[in-house]
Amino acid sequence: YGVHLFHTKYDEVWKYIQRFSQWTPWEHRCVAKVDNKHIPVPVNIDSVNILFNLSITSEMEMKKWLEGIQILPPNLTAVNSEQVGLQRVGRDLYDLIFRPYTIKQWNKDPKDLAPSVLARIPVRTDHDNRYFTDPHQALPTHGYTRIFENMFNSPRITVRLNTDYFHIRNTLKCKHTYFTGPVDAYFSAQGLPKLEYRSLEFERRVYRDTSFYQPMAHVNYPAMSYNYTRAIEYKHIMNQTSPHTVVFFERSTDIGEPYYPVPNPQNQALYAKYQALAGKEANVTFVGRLANYKYFNMDESIMNALQMFDKESKSELRERRMKKISLRAGCILGRSFPQQQRCWAQDAKK
């Protein structure tokens, strides 16, 4: 599934995942290869100094430079990702980095994508070259697979691999289903068009007797002259040692397992129809990226699940309490009024 770097600002999520793994601190860094130069990503002071041969030294200078190149959208409200990009970094940076990378990633021009796509990408006014700035950043010491092995390590949990849910769902006896797959696959019998997703394909190359292929683990290649979006050299991560190195080249594609919901007005309108169907489905909760047709980071997926659990647990607890009170009320019929008062007082305390 490609490189995954855990980061979160949510203390609740960070506390929760400690139960399932040891974590090794890791602050990820990335560069983009532009005009044969490696520049820090997200864009910061060093990025523009390298790219445009400038000598900006302070946040105040950087903010002033940005203000001089930014192109504000009509009515000052961006309605697509092109307007977001121009509003944040101006024409040159947009054309060199943001537009070509977005086209390769989504197979759509930024003007045809919702503002949220480029709004996710920060622009820094200092020298901070970390990919994320969240207070909690780490990698699972023993890998992500171990997390799920630990999560599922319970006699009350049965895991079925290589199984299509739709082939077996009529044989399952579930009081409640939590569905995390594509919402359009769940309602395929309704005859609505399919939602649009992007996937990834990975090309693995081994470079023997090579200490490192590239300057750091993660290098983006925005230019259209490269037929891949980024290259990941895993040897950099966790400071591994080897006489050889392995690099994965990633390409975005429409074919394959669904990874990314495509946020544009047409898909959002179609998802609203699926969302209405989901709201009427009894005893099923749709949770996660594909079921909500929303781009969640890992921590956001976990938070989504925890919030859903809290909400439904409280709802179930209320139902149980009401059922107990109802049964209690049925039992006290025929008693004297003082006896009834005592019973209701006991129920109120419970």
Side-chain angles (χ1 to χ4, degrees):
Y1 292 93
V3 67
H4 278 71
L5 309 147
F6 191 86
H7 58 100
T8 186
K9 63 183 179 182
Y10 302 116
D11 292 336
E12 180 184 357
V13 171
W14 181 244
K15 182 180 177 182
Y16 175 75
I17 62 167
Q18 302 303 307
R19 297 165 54 188
F20 306 105
S21 175
Q22 293 177 307
W23 293 82
T24 299
W26 179 264
E27 291 188 332
H28 192 64
R29 286 166 173 79
C30 168
V31 293
K33 192 169 185 179
V34 182
D35 287 348
N36 217 29
K37 301 172 183 175
H38 288 106
I39 66 164
V41 173
V43 168
N44 65 9
I45 289 176
D46 299 313
S47 308
V48 300
N49 282 345
I50 294 169
L51 204 52
F52 301 118
N53 197 27
L54 301 176
S55 54
I56 295 171
T57 58
S58 68
E59 281 200 67
M60 187 180 295
E61 287 180 37
M62 181 65 173
K63 288 176 181 177
K64 188 176 180 180
W65 183 81
L66 283 171
E67 286 170 5
I69 62 168
Q70 289 166 339
I71 301 171
L72 299 180
N75 304 319
L76 302 181
T77 302
V79 297
N80 58 51
S81 271
E82 178 176 78
Q83 292 180 352
V84 170
L86 293 172
Q87 182 179 14
R88 300 180 81 175
V89 299
R91 174 61 65 183
D92 290 342
L93 278 171
Y94 173 75
D95 285 342
L96 282 169
I97 302 173
F98 290 79
R99 184 172 183 268
Y101 191 91
T102 301
I103 291 172
K104 287 164 69 173
Q105 176 70 20
W106 298 99
N107 197 29
K108 283 180 172 50
D109 195 281
K111 71 175 93 171
D112 298 320
L113 291 166
S116 59
V117 174
L118 287 188
R120 294 182 70 251
I121 303 172
V123 176
R124 308 257 169 83
T125 55
D126 55 16
H127 294 278
D128 190 348
N129 68 345
R130 294 174 301 163
Y131 203 58
F132 310 107
T133 57
D134 296 299
H136 308 295
Q137 301 185 46
L139 293 170
T141 305
H142 304 292
Y144 287 100
T145 300
R146 186 67 59 83
I147 295 175
F148 295 101
E149 289 173 346
N150 291 336
M151 279 187 178
F152 299 152
N153 186 21
S154 166
R156 302 179 70 181
I157 296 174
T158 300
V159 179
R160 300 189 189 184
L161 300 176
N162 302 313
T163 303
D164 189 324
Y165 165 72
F166 299 108
H167 292 165
I168 64 163
R169 68 171 167 176
N170 292 332
T171 68
L172 300 174
K173 296 179 180 179
C174 299
K175 179 181 177 183
H176 197 100
T177 296
Y178 294 86
F179 185 77
T180 65
V183 65
D184 54 342
Y186 188 93
F187 292 108
S188 60
Q190 298 295 321
L192 290 171
K194 286 186 176 183
L195 289 164
E196 193 176 3
Y197 299 92
R198 292 290 280 172
S199 188
L200 291 175
E201 63 178 31
F202 303 93
E203 179 189 351
R204 179 179 183 268
R205 297 183 192 171
V206 178
Y207 295 90
R208 301 201 172 275
D209 301 314
T210 302
S211 55
F212 289 104
Y213 173 81
Q214 56 193 29
M216 56 182 60
H218 180 172
V219 178
N220 285 346
Y221 291 84
M224 300 302 287
S225 55
Y226 299 100
N227 70 347
Y228 43 87
T229 53
R230 65 183 187 179
I232 306 296
E233 187 174 13
Y234 286 88
K235 184 176 169 182
H236 288 276
I237 299 175
M238 307 284 267
N239 303 310
Q240 301 172 63
T241 57
S242 168
H244 318 296
T245 190
V246 179
V247 183
F248 278 82
F249 295 84
E250 298 185 13
R251 297 175 179 86
S252 185
T253 174
D254 289 325
I255 301 167
E257 194 171 342
Y259 287 6
Y260 306 108
V262 179
N264 63 15
Q266 294 83 0
N267 284 319
Q268 292 302 323
L270 179 57
Y271 169 65
K273 297 179 181 179
Y274 283 110
Q275 192 176 28
L277 292 172
K280 298 174 185 176
E281 193 75 357
N283 300 319
V284 180
T285 299
F286 295 84
V287 62
R289 182 190 285 196
L290 300 180
N292 286 281
Y293 201 68
K294 185 177 179 181
Y295 190 104
F296 285 129
N297 286 326
M298 285 187 288
D299 65 323
E300 293 167 335
S301 291
I302 294 170
M303 178 59 84
N304 180 228
L306 292 176
Q307 289 175 340
M308 187 70 68
F309 176 79
D310 288 343
K311 178 183 174 183
E312 300 208 350
S313 295
K314 288 173 184 174
S315 175
E316 188 173 337
L317 190 59
R318 280 196 299 271
E319 286 180 18
R320 288 179 181 174
R321 284 175 177 168
M322 292 304 295
K323 197 173 287 185
K324 277 186 178 180
I325 291 172
S326 177
L327 290 169
R328 195 79 169 134
C331 291
I332 63 175
L333 291 175
R335 293 177 182 172
S336 66
F337 184 67
Q339 286 177 310
Q340 287 185 2
Q341 282 185 317
R342 284 196 298 273
C343 288
W344 285 112
Q346 289 170 4
D347 285 328
K349 286 179 181 178
K350 289 177 184 176

